[in-house]
Amino acid sequence: MPDTALPVSPLAHVMRQGRFGRTMPEGPGVTLSTVHPCEIASVITAKGKTSALAAALKKDFGVALPGMGQSASARGLMMVGVQPDSWLAVQPGGSNLAARLEDKAGKLAMITSQSHGRTLIRMTGPRARDVLAKGTAVDLHAATFKPGMAAATQIGHVGVTIVCTGADSFDLITLSTFAAGFWDGICELSLEWGYEVR
Amino acid sequence: MTSFRFDKGGLIERQTRLNFSFDGKAMTGHAGDTLASALLANGQLLMGRSFKYHRPRSVVTCGAAEPNALMEIGKGGRLEPNTRATMQELYDGLVAKSQNRWPTLERDFGAITSLASSLFVAGFYYKTFMWPKKFWEAIYEPIIRKAAGLGNLSHEADPDRYEKGYMHCDVLVVGSGPAGLMAALAAARSGARVVVADEHARLGGSIPKEREEIDGRTGTDWAGNVIGELSAMKNVRLMPRTTVFGAYDDAVFGALERVQKDVAEPDHNVPVEKLWRIITKRCVLAAGAEERPIVFGGNDRPGVMTASAMRAFANQYAVAPGRSVAVFTSTDSGCRTALDMKAHGVHVEVILDARKDATKIDTGGVPVMRGALVTDVKGGKHGMSGVEINGHDTIPCQSLAMSGGWSPVVHLACMRGAKPVWNEELSCFMPPAHDPWIIPAGSANGKWRLGDCLADGAAAGSKAAADAGFKAAKVAVPKARDDASHAVSPLWWVKASTGKAFVDYQNDVTSKDLPLAAREGYDHIELAKRYTTSGMATDQGKLGNVNAIGILAEATGKSIAEIGTTTFRPFYTPVSFGALGGQHVGNHFQPVRRSPLHGWAEKLGAAFVETGQWHRSSWFPREGEGWLAAMTREVLNTRKNVGICDVSTLGKIEIKGKDAAEFINRLYSNTFLKLLVGKARYGLMLREDGFVGDDGTTSRLGENHFFMTTTTGHAAQSMRDIEFAQHALWPELDVQYGSVTDEWAQMAVAGPKSRMVLSRVVNADLSNEAFPFLSAREVTVLGHIPGRLFRISFSGELAYELAVPAGFGEAVASAIMHAGQPHGILPYGLEALSSMRVEKGFITHNEINGRHTAGDVGLGKMVSKQKDYIGRMMNEREGLNDPDRMQMVGIRPMDPAKRFRSGAHLVGLNDKPSTATDQGYLSSVAWSPTLNSWIGLGMLKRGRERHGERLIVWDGLREVYLEAEVCNPVFIDPEGEKTHA
Amino acid sequence: MATLINCPHCGRRTTDEFYIKGDASKVRPTAVGDGTMDQWHDYVHIRDNVRGRVTEYWHHTGGCRQWLVVERDSMTHEVYGVTPAQKWKPAGTKAAAPAVKAAARKAPAKKAGGKR
């Protein structure tokens, strides 16, 4: 019987670790990795239940419910506002996130596991903003797109949620069936500044 | 061989020698050269042949407007035709070829057209090749096609990479001349994010091309300082080699950055060109002005060029087209060329000032002839020997500088539809004040004096920064020596010309063509352009248009303002297809979607087929099997034993909420309110116009919890439709939904033995009693994986669909294969799936094609009259309920081995196929392994009452003419006994 | 058409992130059945080809996935405003959205071990 202990990452067949692209004296412009497995759930509030949901999340998970285009993190759980009444809950290395959320907030929102449906790619480095600017028209300038901010947009016609997690650090959350092609595309766009896959 | 390089001067790096070739001849140049300047330095004045008359041509400009010196650059897949030698940076190993000549530039056969030039006047295509009529396709068109066009393509794939990207700024400065640099400085010091784009490799615009002092030092010194300050600022991005080619709505500009067009072998990690979409708040248009040639006899001879070009070649590149110069001008600025050439040690013969009444200015002792008109230029293909004045005297000289006035480069201000405005005093078209975000400055704004340009640029930069929300910083305007007057009195053409006088060099339009066009009724500027081809092709009339307008105005007795200009459109200069495609080529042409079961299918040897963005497993061939054999085996095995198929591509939507059932009930045409928890139901969605839009199953997993599937192909549209229904139509409903397509791997397990196989994998009672047809339940798979099991069938067999979290898909599919081994399980692909669904008469988007109603496809009973839903009323339209409509039927060829294809028409047995006799068409066709026959689903007029009738399947494209029989579209097991077993 | 759209949820985005459905000046009729066909015909089929100010349904497919109503000028390409579809009230029409229909009827509970 095949091993079913761990889910297969949609990037398993395309990720190769190492250094690629142009060799830059200051080191690779971009570092790419994925977080797998990564617990992800979509949280969509029922009519008029947003503030109740915010209270429940604060109470039981310690995390604030951010606005659209914002993220908030606490105790390893990140909430990202992707639609007016819709969030992605992201917890790298967690377990049963959707079930735990359902347990505490199932009456206030539709909680759906997306741990398999979404894939998280982590991009860091001094050229990360430049690589992303080849795909999206969102203004990613450091003064405009600061840590904690998020944007649901497209790169190469693939939907992606970009979360700025640090000065030059970004979490890219994309649909898993697109993830491999998306990964290839991001790698190609990183060639000119050199990239490292971890 | 009159052109040459000075021993000193210029901004070239004389210590760096670069080897290149032109038409196979080895030459050398220096870093800092353009191909044009290097050719001149090598004595190569002759650079090409003209389009129509194949006249010998050399450079006439020193920049982007160059109409003559177009070359093929590079080798193999890198070959790029129609490259302006004036814009091509010289690099070591550059290979250039002249164009539009055969067999060689020296001996060009096409030049005989020049002898017959009276035949080739404007409109000659329309006049000459009219008759005999049948000659057009067979003779004229092929010959014209061969003769037309400029450079050649290589027909090899381009090995280089191109990329596209977005850029954001507060102030975009187009052009880095005196005005552009001052604007950038003012805006940047105000704190704005500034992008400075200049089409040339060297920033500075006209500064390195002139010998003007700024702030008491050389212009290049001053510019170097400013550029140094700008490049040290974090809020400034300097972009040389970048052409802003288009202006679009909302202050978005298109720009092409030539990243690696200055090397023979580009680094493959770096794109050779980048196409930028620049989103800005303000744009300072400091693109400069173009000097107009004068239209006189022989104005296209090698050695004749604009006065500013001659200065630029001398000052920046230290080359001259000849050892002696004459200047023909109707402007004061033309006289500067005499001074500059003299300073470089070139003998200046005379200044021929067309103006009888020109005020006297300093010419450095060069004699001036007032009221002198050049009527012809003497010489041959390698240079000129002299100019004919006023039809008689000839003055010997090797080159001629001409200055007919200046035209601001207004293109970007006009691309959103506004027309430039004629200014009588300045004798030029000025940029229109149309878009508040475009601020013209410098000579693009009609400022001819250097000091005015610097001041205008500074003011424009401050205004741009202030408009963009910054507190404008004060910038001191540097002093410039500028006592020269800049009077212009336009001279559109020298009517007394004895030689051919060209208006548009690139298209060989002469001064006679425009009046001819006017006489023949093409007197509107847009018509004259198309009749004469003036202003077409790669230079788009940058040099010639204003002269053409002037001549047309004279010919029609109208003013220049009344004639106006043709329409300005992107692109300012040509943009390669490579750059427009950017990174979206090859594997990245469109996004690829990969099923979570892709790897599993790959291991089993699947052949994949692209269906939209998905790559789906299509069949699983064994050694030596083609698709038909593999599919046949897969179908027979599924119908006899059990098969497994990847159906993960279905659109999957999770729906919850107090009003979820009501919401779903308004989406589907059949009712869903009474669906039991634990049950699935087939549902039909109509479009608001009453035709069928999509179908799928929806299962009720809880009181207010549903799981909906849509078809693969329509998933994105259906999701949008559902969102529309909730956001725009019924926002009051309390319903939440989201796509879970990617979350679940879904597999169909079908066949009489499917229950036995699945029972070993899923911990649930699958007996017909416990889990009958159309059951839906959450289950545990392999002891720990949460799954969803549905008893639904698209094959007509006892069948299930099992969904598990995508990352476990491969493991579960493999476990099912393992469990199914004793039962003969085989994977089946899209081909087998399609064949089985046709055998069962199930519809797909072949039938749901926007032309058919629920009644047409035999699902009329699924259209409720008891509720409102999308498409409810329009479905009741009379025409949609006409008994004469096409209805879905089965079609079987009388000879089962005879293949027909979908799209074929259905006509009566004795009818001649025609639109009048057309009775319908085949929508889906498959080989049925079960029936050993080709079978089809078709849409046939009154089809349901015609089962048993014979007709003809006609496919004119594939020459198919077959007799076939109409039958029930459900070819096998019409009672559905197997499905319910 | 405009190049940038100011999405009320996402901010300024390029139009290629959007899907355009078309005219938003019509309100879906609430009544069905006899005598309503004319209203439906008007809602589904009748469109003005306006030179000037138009209102259209746009879907921010590449962003927040919300339906929006974009008011723009078909001639000058100026965008006057972008409104979430939920809040959109076409000019000259009755503002009220159709009243909530009878709430979803309770689904009959699944019969335990149902036999068939």
Side-chain angles (χ1 to χ4, degrees):
Chain A
M1 290 291 283
D3 177 27
T4 60
L6 271 182
V8 176
S9 162
L11 299 177
H13 67 288
V14 285
M15 269 186 83
R16 280 187 304 138
Q17 288 174 350
R19 292 273 291 267
F20 306 92
R22 195 147 61 126
T23 310
M24 306 293 274
E26 65 271 24
V30 170
T31 301
L32 293 166
S33 60
T34 183
V35 178
H36 178 82
C38 181
E39 285 291 304
I40 302 177
S42 92
V43 178
I44 305 174
T45 46
K47 223 168 206 356
K49 300 289 190 207
T50 306
S51 43
L53 174 72
L57 286 179
K58 192 79 199 165
K59 176 170 165 281
D60 295 310
F61 297 88
V63 70
L65 197 59
M68 174 76 199
Q70 307 279 334
S71 71
S73 298
R75 298 183 214 158
L77 175 65
M78 177 169 75
M79 299 295 294
V80 187
V82 289
Q83 291 180 20
D85 294 309
S86 173
W87 291 262
L88 281 181
V90 182
Q91 193 167 42
S95 63
N96 295 322
L97 175 62
R100 284 184 289 126
L101 287 166
E102 178 74 34
D103 186 38
K104 303 291 184 190
K107 292 206 163 58
L108 308 171
M110 177 173 95
I111 315 283
T112 315
S113 172
Q114 293 284 3
S115 301
H116 298 254
R118 306 293 175 105
T119 299
L120 193 149
I121 294 169
R122 203 152 261 182
M123 178 185 265
T124 61
R127 289 299 188 166
R129 290 176 198 270
D130 294 310
V131 171
L132 295 174
K134 292 181 191 177
T136 175
V138 173
D139 186 355
L140 298 169
H141 191 275
T144 326
F145 197 67
K146 297 173 190 162
M149 293 181 74
T153 180
Q154 288 178 322
I155 289 180
H157 306 289
V158 176
V160 60
T161 299
I162 305 175
V163 188
C164 184
T165 55
D168 285 322
S169 306
F170 300 89
D171 279 356
L172 314 176
I173 304 166
T174 187
L175 291 168
S176 293
T177 58
F178 285 108
F182 182 83
W183 173 271
D184 275 347
I186 286 284
C187 287
E188 178 157 329
L189 296 179
S190 303
L191 282 173
E192 75 170 301
W193 296 297
Y195 67 97
E196 180 175 358
V197 177
R198 285 211 181 121
Chain B
M1 300 292 163
T2 58
S3 64
F4 69 104
R5 172 154 271 152
F6 309 146
D7 292 336
K8 56 182 195 324
L11 301 169
I12 47 168
E13 295 172 30
R14 289 181 188 258
Q15 69 281 11
T16 317
R17 267 167 73 98
L18 304 175
N19 298 304
F20 72 104
S21 77
F22 175 70
D23 282 348
K25 204 157 79 179
M27 297 185 177
T28 62
H30 297 292
D33 260 327
T34 62
L35 176 56
S37 69
L39 286 169
L40 290 177
N42 281 273
Q44 185 68 45
L45 192 57
L46 177 62
M47 296 191 195
R49 291 275 177 173
S50 75
F51 180 61
K52 202 158 81 178
Y53 301 129
H54 289 245
R55 284 171 67 102
R57 292 278 169 84
S58 184
V59 280
V60 68
T61 74
C62 192
E66 178 55 36
N68 287 343
L70 305 183
M71 315 257 165
E72 290 172 12
I73 307 290
K75 290 183 289 193
R78 293 207 168 95
L79 185 140
E80 196 165 316
N82 303 337
T83 307
R84 290 150 294 159
T86 48
M87 297 300 288
Q88 175 63 53
E89 282 173 73
L90 194 69
Y91 56 80
D92 203 48
L94 183 146
V95 175
K97 265 174 74 183
S98 59
Q99 301 184 159
N100 213 33
R101 83 288 188 277
W102 185 84
T104 68
L105 189 56
E106 287 289 318
R107 299 175 197 287
D108 176 41
F109 183 73
I112 58 161
T113 54
S114 203
L115 302 175
S117 62
S118 61
L119 287 176
F120 291 90
V121 293
F124 76 100
Y125 284 108
Y126 318 118
K127 292 169 184 164
T128 314
F129 303 110
M130 291 292 286
W131 45 263
K133 206 175 164 189
K134 64 182 176 187
F135 270 36
W136 176 251
E137 265 184 45
I139 297 172
Y140 296 148
E141 195 186 348
I143 291 174
I144 290 170
R145 287 213 179 279
K146 194 156 183 281
L150 295 164
N152 294 304
L153 291 167
S154 75
H155 294 275
E156 285 177 48
D158 186 337
D160 294 329
R161 292 178 50 242
Y162 298 79
E163 284 180 357
K164 293 197 278 197
Y166 292 92
M167 199 180 287
H168 302 259
C169 59
D170 299 308
V171 178
L172 167 67
V173 180
V174 181
S176 65
L181 287 180
M182 286 306 292
L185 208 54
R189 285 185 188 165
S190 309
R193 280 161 76 185
V194 177
V195 171
V196 182
D198 194 294
E199 61 189 350
H200 289 282
R202 185 186 184 102
L203 294 175
S206 64
I207 294 170
K209 299 178 170 67
E210 303 281 0
R211 285 190 318 131
E212 298 279 357
E213 287 193 348
I214 302 175
D215 246 0
R217 46 184 163 169
T218 66
T220 43
D221 232 24
W222 177 83
N225 243 38
V226 175
I227 292 162
E229 178 180 341
L230 290 171
S231 58
M233 295 171 88
K234 276 203 157 144
N235 56 331
V236 178
R237 181 165 184 164
L238 296 177
M239 301 185 72
R241 304 182 172 98
T242 302
T243 305
V244 180
F245 60 72
Y248 303 92
D249 293 339
D250 309 309
V252 176
F253 293 81
L256 180 73
E257 182 184 9
R258 294 178 297 280
V259 184
Q260 291 192 92
K261 296 304 262 186
D262 54 344
V263 288
E265 287 288 331
D267 177 349
H268 197 67
N269 289 315
V270 182
V272 290
E273 290 182 336
K274 280 187 188 174
L275 189 112
W276 292 105
R277 279 158 286 188
I278 303 177
I279 300 171
T280 187
K281 295 195 176 91
R282 287 293 180 268
C283 167
V284 175
L285 179 60
E290 202 70 64
E291 191 168 28
R292 296 196 288 264
I294 303 177
V295 181
F296 56 89
N299 65 344
D300 67 327
R301 287 264 184 231
V304 181
M305 60 176 67
T306 63
S308 55
M310 193 179 284
R311 287 201 298 280
F313 277 120
N315 293 329
Q316 184 170 349
Y317 305 105
V319 289
R323 306 233 167 227
S324 58
V325 175
V327 176
F328 180 31
T329 183
S330 64
T331 72
D332 289 348
S333 66
C335 301
R336 275 219 303 276
T337 303
L339 294 171
D340 285 10
M341 296 312 282
K342 216 171 153 234
H344 287 290
V346 178
H347 175 67
V348 183
E349 211 53 70
V350 63
I351 294 171
L352 305 163
D353 198 325
R355 302 166 297 177
K356 290 195 174 92
D357 51 352
T359 46
K360 205 173 169 195
I361 57 169
D362 173 27
T363 60
V366 176
V368 180
M369 282 176 68
R370 290 186 206 285
L373 297 176
V374 177
T375 45
D376 200 6
V377 176
K378 308 290 181 195
K381 59 191 173 202
H382 292 301
M384 46 181 283
S385 54
V387 292
E388 180 191 273
I389 312 296
N390 295 339
H392 38 86
D393 303 331
T394 297
I395 295 178
C397 60
Q398 290 187 341
S399 59
L400 179 68
M402 57 183 166
S403 176
W406 293 86
S407 297
V409 177
V410 298
H411 299 62
L412 293 175
C414 302
M415 283 181 184
R416 290 208 328 122
K419 295 281 188 178
V421 184
W422 178 252
N423 183 311
E424 194 66 43
E425 190 190 338
L426 297 171
S427 292
C428 68
F429 281 102
M430 292 284 285
H434 180 255
D435 298 323
W437 56 81
I438 292 188
I439 306 169
S443 59
N445 195 29
K447 306 281 188 249
W448 306 145
R449 287 187 180 86
L450 179 56
D452 293 349
C453 286
L454 292 164
D456 201 36
S462 297
K463 178 175 169 21
D467 286 359
F470 295 84
K471 191 173 174 292
K474 280 224 163 64
V475 187
V477 179
K479 287 197 171 50
R481 176 198 68 83
D482 219 341
D483 43 7
S485 92
H486 280 77
V488 178
S489 36
L491 168 66
W492 302 125
W493 54 324
V494 177
K495 296 185 190 63
S497 292
T498 47
K500 233 189 245 325
F502 287 88
V503 179
D504 181 319
Y505 292 96
Q506 192 165 89
N507 296 291
D508 273 351
V509 178
T510 70
S511 57
K512 290 180 181 154
D513 288 327
L514 287 151
L516 177 73
R519 282 200 303 280
E520 297 190 347
Y522 301 95
D523 55 352
H524 188 283
I525 185 67
E526 296 282 10
L527 297 177
K529 168 178 175 173
R530 280 146 190 89
Y531 194 62
T532 64
T533 70
S534 181
M536 292 194 177
T538 69
D539 72 336
Q540 288 288 296
K542 288 186 183 62
L543 280 190
N545 268 3
V546 177
N547 285 335
I549 293 162
I551 293 170
L552 197 63
E554 280 190 24
T556 55
K558 291 181 182 164
S559 71
I560 288 181
E562 281 171 323
I563 294 285
T565 63
T566 52
T567 308
F568 289 83
R569 298 185 179 90
F571 306 116
Y572 174 65
T573 47
V575 175
S576 67
F577 280 108
L580 293 172
Q583 57 266 38
H584 305 296
V585 293
N587 290 336
H588 303 297
F589 181 69
Q590 66 162 359
V592 171
R593 274 189 107 167
R594 193 181 144 103
S595 157
L597 296 178
H598 191 103
W600 166 80
E602 213 164 36
K603 281 175 205 145
L604 292 170
F608 291 89
V609 64
E610 282 183 40
T611 59
Q613 296 174 329
W614 292 101
H615 288 200
R616 298 182 69 178
S617 44
S618 200
W619 65 91
F620 293 81
R622 286 179 177 166
E623 189 76 32
E625 265 183 353
W627 74 271
L628 189 60
M631 179 275 274
T632 300
R633 177 175 47 73
E634 290 164 22
V635 168
L636 292 175
N637 186 69
T638 302
R639 296 230 183 271
K640 180 169 163 245
N641 297 312
V642 55
I644 175 171
C645 179
D646 180 8
V647 293
S648 305
T649 57
L650 291 171
K652 313 182 200 81
I653 303 166
E654 198 87 353
I655 306 176
K656 281 188 178 179
K658 191 161 60 67
D659 297 326
E662 173 64 23
F663 184 60
I664 291 166
N665 203 43
R666 294 186 195 183
L667 298 174
Y668 281 124
S669 69
N670 49 328
T671 57
F672 270 79
L673 288 178
K674 290 182 183 169
L675 180 64
L676 296 172
V677 171
K679 283 292 183 184
R681 179 171 292 174
Y682 175 69
L684 201 62
M685 285 184 187
L686 306 188
R687 311 191 311 194
E688 198 69 279
D689 66 3
F691 292 99
V692 181
D694 200 21
D695 67 353
T697 58
T698 286
S699 305
R700 193 167 203 164
L701 299 176
E703 171 66 27
N704 292 326
H705 183 191
F706 295 81
F707 178 73
M708 176 186 277
T709 64
T710 69
T711 59
T712 299
H714 212 253
Q717 183 64 45
S718 288
M719 189 67 199
R720 258 197 309 254
D721 290 347
I722 290 166
E723 287 165 329
F724 183 78
Q726 209 259 324
H727 298 167
L729 302 181
W730 305 304
E732 70 281 4
L733 294 183
D734 185 4
V735 58
Q736 295 79 49
Y737 48 81
S739 168
V740 289
T741 302
D742 292 59
E743 176 69 11
W744 300 97
Q746 194 153 319
M747 51 209 97
V749 181
K753 296 175 182 170
S754 57
R755 180 180 289 129
M756 282 186 274
V757 175
L758 268 183
S759 298
R760 296 186 50 196
V761 179
V762 171
N763 67 336
D765 179 359
L766 299 186
S767 67
N768 210 18
E769 292 70 36
F771 202 70
F773 183 56
L774 294 178
S775 294
R777 178 183 299 173
E778 289 180 323
V779 293
T780 303
V781 186
L782 300 178
H784 72 101
I785 298 168
R788 290 173 175 178
L789 187 65
F790 310 92
R791 187 163 163 201
I792 49 183
S793 176
F794 200 51
S795 57
E797 296 298 321
L798 165 68
Y800 303 83
E801 287 188 12
L802 175 65
V804 295
F808 294 118
E810 285 197 36
V812 170
S814 300
I816 291 171
M817 285 296 288
H818 187 80
Q821 227 165 24
H823 305 285
I825 196 168
L826 287 177
Y828 66 94
L830 194 56
E831 287 295 341
L833 177 138
S834 297
S835 170
M836 288 190 279
R837 75 97 186 162
V838 174
E839 288 180 334
K840 280 295 291 182
F842 292 138
I843 58 170
T844 66
H845 278 280
N846 288 21
E847 288 74 34
I848 307 174
N849 58 10
R851 298 166 58 195
H852 297 300
T853 65
D856 295 348
V857 294
L859 300 173
K861 285 184 183 151
M862 293 182 67
V863 170
S864 168
K865 303 248 184 214
Q866 307 305 314
K867 58 170 187 168
D868 181 18
Y869 55 89
I870 305 286
R872 153 78 158 85
M873 279 308 291
M874 284 290 111
N875 175 61
E876 287 187 13
R877 282 186 286 167
E878 202 183 333
L880 270 62
N881 294 280
D882 185 342
D884 264 353
R885 286 185 66 80
M886 290 189 262
Q887 295 165 341
M888 193 168 88
V889 293
I891 304 283
R892 295 180 70 156
M894 300 319 293
D895 177 349
K898 282 272 165 38
R899 184 179 186 178
F900 45 39
R901 299 195 197 226
S902 54
H905 288 263
L906 306 173
V907 295
L909 271 185
N910 301 310
D911 289 340
K912 190 171 178 289
S914 74
T915 42
T917 58
D918 189 19
Q919 298 186 32
Y921 67 96
L922 280 174
S923 52
S924 298
V925 170
W927 169 254
S928 166
T930 318
L931 303 172
N932 242 315
S933 171
W934 288 97
I935 57 171
L937 297 177
M939 306 302 300
L940 178 68
K941 264 181 199 166
R942 304 185 85 100
R944 273 196 286 279
E945 59 191 47
R946 295 169 66 178
H947 293 183
E949 197 181 310
R950 294 208 181 165
L951 41 63
I952 294 295
V953 174
W954 175 76
D955 184 342
L957 279 178
R958 299 186 183 87
E959 297 181 343
V960 170
Y961 189 91
L962 283 179
E963 196 175 330
E965 185 185 355
V966 181
C967 62
N968 185 337
V970 186
F971 290 88
I972 63 166
D973 190 21
E975 303 305 319
E977 285 166 20
K978 296 170 82 172
T979 314
H980 290 88
Chain C
M1 191 186 307
T3 310
L4 300 174
I5 290 293
N6 212 347
C7 171
H9 308 295
C10 304
R12 201 173 60 164
R13 297 298 181 89
T14 51
T15 42
D16 54 6
E17 287 193 354
F18 295 82
Y19 166 91
I20 303 165
K21 182 181 173 79
D23 186 27
S25 68
K26 300 283 171 84
V27 178
R28 190 176 189 273
T30 51
V32 293
D34 293 343
T36 65
M37 194 57 102
D38 285 351
Q39 295 173 44
W40 282 95
H41 171 65
D42 180 71
Y43 171 66
V44 174
H45 294 129
I46 304 303
R47 295 289 180 276
D48 290 331
N49 187 11
V50 178
R51 178 187 192 262
R53 201 177 181 112
V54 294
T55 55
E56 290 165 335
Y57 281 116
W58 288 42
H59 183 253
H60 194 184
T61 310
C64 59
R65 295 203 63 92
Q66 300 297 295
W67 278 96
L68 309 166
V69 173
V70 174
E71 292 183 78
R72 66 181 189 96
D73 193 304
S74 64
M75 182 68 192
T76 66
H77 299 184
E78 185 176 347
V79 176
Y80 302 107
V82 186
T83 315
Q86 292 93 330
K87 296 179 181 163
W88 170 245
K89 307 275 186 287
T93 56
K94 271 187 280 176
V100 186
K101 288 218 160 188
R105 270 169 276 170
K106 279 221 174 247
K110 194 183 136 212
K111 288 177 222 157
K115 290 189 176 67
R116 232 189 94 186

